[in-house]
Amino acid sequence: YDVITSEPSNPWLTGSSKLFTKEYFELLKKGIKEDGIVLQWINLYALDIEGLKRVISAFNEVFPEVAAFGMVASNDLALVGSNNPIVFDKKHLLDLFRNDDIRKNLSMIKIDFPFEILSYFILDKKSVDSLVGDTPANTDNNPYVEFFAPRSLYQPTRVNPWALIYDNLSEITDEKADRFRRARLLTHIHFIEKNVG
């Protein structure tokens, strides 16, 4: 396939938890063409920091190139994995926005300008490497997320996942997109920290 998207249920649920392991990501990688991409959804709801890092570490061990997009309003991450470098071409984005169908579809999800797409980009390969460090991968034989994440299901967030991401935020050259994403992230970080019991 050119593209495989994976949006299972929450990573801490028995059954769907197996769709957030290194072995599963290896199956996805086998299913794409050499120049294909995989998009893996991760919901940060009730996922502790260690669990988040272990899922990202598993994905990072499988794909030579990784990037992440963050949707703070819905508390979601979208990991993108590929065999080839993941490059954002601003000119190409501008060209896409000249297509009426594409512009109308993006407008339905409140994206009206090219810089808004870039503003969701939060982590490149270098930032992912920094964020996970030597964190062990979430695997079928070491399913940390399935067994430990539920323990924090109804507990207040002790470490804000968006703060961790903000501390490892990738550089982008589009100044408007960078200001927009930093403001969005900082607002959400403040909201979480203000409302933690």
Side-chain angles (χ1 to χ4, degrees), residues 115-133:
F115 84 89
E116 290 177 302
I117 290 178
L118 289 175
S119 75
Y120 288 97
F121 173 62
I122 54 174
L123 301 171
D124 60 11
K125 175 67 174 171
K126 180 180 175 185
S127 298
V128 167
D129 288 342
S130 173
L131 187 145
V132 299

Side-chain angles (χ1 to χ4, degrees), residues 66-161:
V66 176
F69 289 79
M71 288 66 69
V72 295
S74 56
N75 218 24
D76 297 324
L77 282 184
L79 294 177
V80 178
S82 176
N83 291 311
N84 302 312
I86 299 168
V87 179
F88 303 102
D89 183 336
K90 193 172 175 182
K91 182 184 179 311
H92 183 64
L93 270 178
L94 291 169
D95 289 342
L96 289 174
F97 268 82
R98 291 188 182 98
N99 179 306
D100 287 339
D101 290 335
I102 292 173
R103 197 170 59 251
K104 285 176 188 173
N105 284 336
L106 288 172
S107 182
M108 290 190 321
I109 58 169
K110 309 296 184 210
I111 294 178
D112 299 306
F113 304 100
F115 84 89
E116 290 177 302
I117 290 178
L118 289 175
S119 75
Y120 288 97
F121 173 62
I122 54 174
L123 301 171
D124 60 11
K125 175 67 174 171
K126 180 180 175 185
S127 298
V128 167
D129 288 342
S130 173
L131 187 145
V132 299
D134 59 359
T135 303
N138 192 53
T139 65
D140 285 348
N141 289 331
N142 187 9
Y144 175 90
V145 174
E146 181 178 352
F147 290 101
F148 287 91
R151 296 166 88 186
S152 60
L153 188 57
Y154 298 106
Q155 301 299 317
T157 304
R158 288 180 179 77
V159 180
N160 187 333

Side-chain angles (χ1 to χ4, degrees), residues 160 187-197:
N160 187 333
T187 300
H188 195 64
I189 289 165
H190 175 70
F191 173 80
I192 291 172
E193 291 176 355
K194 182 179 178 183
N195 290 288
V196 167

Side-chain angles (χ1 to χ4, degrees), residues 26-92:
E26 288 169 342
L27 290 173
L28 294 180
K29 185 180 178 190
K30 287 178 184 174
I32 58 170
K33 297 177 181 176
E34 181 58 31
D35 60 348
I37 62 168
V38 168
L39 185 141
Q40 175 72 35
W41 167 86
I42 303 175
N43 186 341
L44 299 186
Y45 166 72
L47 186 61
D48 68 356
I49 293 296
E50 182 68 12
L52 173 64
K53 288 171 69 173
R54 284 183 185 234
V55 171
I56 295 174
S57 180
F59 196 83
N60 194 41
E61 285 185 17
V62 171
F63 293 97
E65 297 294 331
V66 176
F69 289 79
M71 288 66 69
V72 295
S74 56
N75 218 24
D76 297 324
L77 282 184
L79 294 177
V80 178
S82 176
N83 291 311
N84 302 312
I86 299 168
V87 179
F88 303 102
D89 183 336
K90 193 172 175 182
K91 182 184 179 311
H92 183 64

